[in-house]
Amino acid sequence: MTRDEDVTTDAGTTTDWSRKARGSLTRYRVMAWITGAMLLLLCAEMLVKYVLHADGVAAAFGWVPFAHGWIYVVYLVTVFDLWATMRWRFGRLVTMALAGIVPVMSFVLERRVHTQGLARVEAAEATQPVTG
């Protein structure tokens, strides 16, 4: 299946797919923001610890690396779910996964991915025949 083909062929499946895709987009959006915020907090913690050598302050934020690590794992699951649902190319999966470890990239990519994904869902819903 190519990117430009319709995702499904019958109305019921299109509705099911669009509902699943919208859910995946929402979960991805939430996790991208949480992961991005935790990554910025991690960068701030590392800056305080290694540049400012304020070990007392850094000790209070010792939980941040562990929290970001586990949140990143959940983020990867949501990335894979969205990627598989939307049937995008492998490069998109890699880019979305890298967004969780490059500061600020998750915010930028989230907006682009959400816009493109939503447009695809709405296009699939628009081609769905009206039943009455």
Side-chain angles (χ1 to χ4, degrees):
M1 174 180 290
T2 64
R3 292 184 308 177
D4 298 328
E5 290 180 25
D6 190 13
V7 177
T8 55
T9 55
D10 61 25
T13 308
T14 301
T15 303
D16 293 342
W17 176 83
S18 66
R19 185 177 18 254
K20 182 177 183 199
R22 284 183 184 276
S24 294
L25 279 167
T26 301
R27 286 187 297 275
Y28 167 74
R29 187 173 220 186
V30 168
M31 286 310 301
W33 276 90
I34 292 171
T35 302
M38 286 302 296
L39 184 58
L40 290 177
L41 192 59
L42 176 64
C43 290
E45 186 263 342
M46 291 176 65
L47 182 72
V48 168
K49 184 175 182 178
Y50 296 114
V51 176
L52 301 177
H53 302 288
D55 293 328
V57 175
F61 292 99
W63 58 272
V64 173
F66 298 107
H68 172 69
W70 284 108
I71 288 171
Y72 182 68
V73 170
V74 175
Y75 170 77
L76 287 178
V77 171
T78 61
V79 162
F80 185 80
D81 177 49
L82 179 61
W83 173 77
T85 300
M86 300 303 283
R87 298 180 181 170
W88 281 324
R89 295 182 180 194
F90 184 72
R92 173 75 60 101
L93 174 67
V94 172
T95 306
M96 290 167 56
L98 287 175
I101 58 174
V102 177
V104 184
M105 186 175 168
S106 68
F107 302 121
V108 174
L109 193 62
E110 176 273 323
R111 182 164 241 10
R112 179 178 294 159
V113 166
H114 188 264
T115 301
Q116 291 171 353
L118 195 57
R120 185 166 176 199
V121 169
E122 289 172 350
E125 289 173 347
T127 61
Q128 177 180 343
V130 177
T131 58

